[in-house]
Structure formats: structure tokens, C-alpha cells
Amino acid sequence: MLQIDIELPPDVERESLVYMECWDEQIADWLCTPGNQVKEGFEPPSQRTTNRDIVVVSTGGKSSALRIFDTYHQPETLVLQYDRVATLGQRETLRTLVPIPKGRGDRSVSIDLKQEAK
């Protein structure tokens, strides 16, 4: 589980936040290029509160007969997609990268979209 604490500016619609995990940073960068129309694969969080989303992050690896992990893999990045109400009430869909902290077990990260809007 990845806990994402989020600060939103007033022009961002909270319910519009959806996520896609990316195992490769180049794909994540490509998804964030302006005009990218890919919609498949973005999912709402598994849990949502006023200022926090919980996203389940995939993991992979192999373990030995003793159940010791020989390898461990996880996605590098989440792509966060959200809608901002622009001038005259028009909606603008934006994306940003959210790094996934390395490690096993539950993790957390903070995002301040108020800073992104500047």
C-alpha cells in the first residue's frame, strides 16, 4: 500500500484524481507529455479520504525454497492524472509523476499540487 498525502489547490477536482503505476520511468514520462490521450490503465485509489489516497502498488520477485526473496521488483513511478477547472469553467486534464519509495511493506509520499500550479 502506498499512502499519498495530497495538498490540492481550489481549482483541482478531488474526485478526478486517478493513478497508473509505471514500471519504467520512460513510459511514465511519455504518459505525461502534453496531448497524450492514453486513458486506459488509470484507476481511482483503493481508498480515499479528504487529504489522502491509498493506492495498491504491484510487486514481484522470486523466492527460494526457504521463502527468502532472491529478487524483488516494484514499479518506479505512479502517474497522477487530475482535472483542473480552467478559465471560463473549462476542464483541463493534467498529469504529474509521483515517485514510489523503494522498499517492501506500506510506504507513504506527499504531493503538493498547489506548487505544481505555479
Side-chain angles (χ1 to χ4, degrees), residues 69-85:
F69 273 105
D70 295 328
T71 61
Y72 177 81
H73 308 286
Q74 72 177 46
E76 294 181 17
T77 309
L78 283 178
V79 176
L80 165 60
Q81 177 178 288
Y82 59 96
D83 291 338
R84 184 169 63 190
V85 179

Side-chain angles (χ1 to χ4, degrees), residues 5-117:
D5 294 316
I6 303 171
E7 292 286 330
L8 296 176
D11 60 349
V12 171
E13 296 179 343
R14 178 77 176 98
E15 295 301 314
S16 71
L17 275 64
V18 290
Y19 302 87
M20 180 190 297
E21 63 182 31
C22 290
W23 290 81
D24 185 306
E25 186 119 10
Q26 290 176 328
I27 293 171
D29 288 337
W30 173 75
L31 286 168
C32 289
T33 56
N36 189 307
Q37 298 295 315
V38 172
K39 302 272 186 219
E40 294 80 24
F42 283 92
E43 304 266 336
S46 60
Q47 295 177 27
R48 174 171 279 159
T49 64
T50 305
N51 296 321
R52 179 174 295 153
D53 283 350
I54 306 288
V55 177
V56 176
V57 177
S58 300
T59 59
K62 291 191 267 181
S63 59
S64 66
L66 299 175
R67 299 200 186 271
I68 298 172
F69 273 105
D70 295 328
T71 61
Y72 177 81
H73 308 286
Q74 72 177 46
E76 294 181 17
T77 309
L78 283 178
V79 176
L80 165 60
Q81 177 178 288
Y82 59 96
D83 291 338
R84 184 169 63 190
V85 179
T87 56
L88 303 175
Q90 296 174 333
R91 295 184 194 284
E92 177 182 29
T93 298
L94 302 170
R95 293 178 179 165
T96 189
L97 300 177
V98 179
I100 299 173
K102 300 231 182 268
R104 300 178 188 170
D106 295 344
R107 287 153 279 164
S108 64
V109 66
S110 296
I111 302 170
D112 188 350
L113 290 180
K114 292 177 182 176
Q115 296 297 322
E116 298 250 342

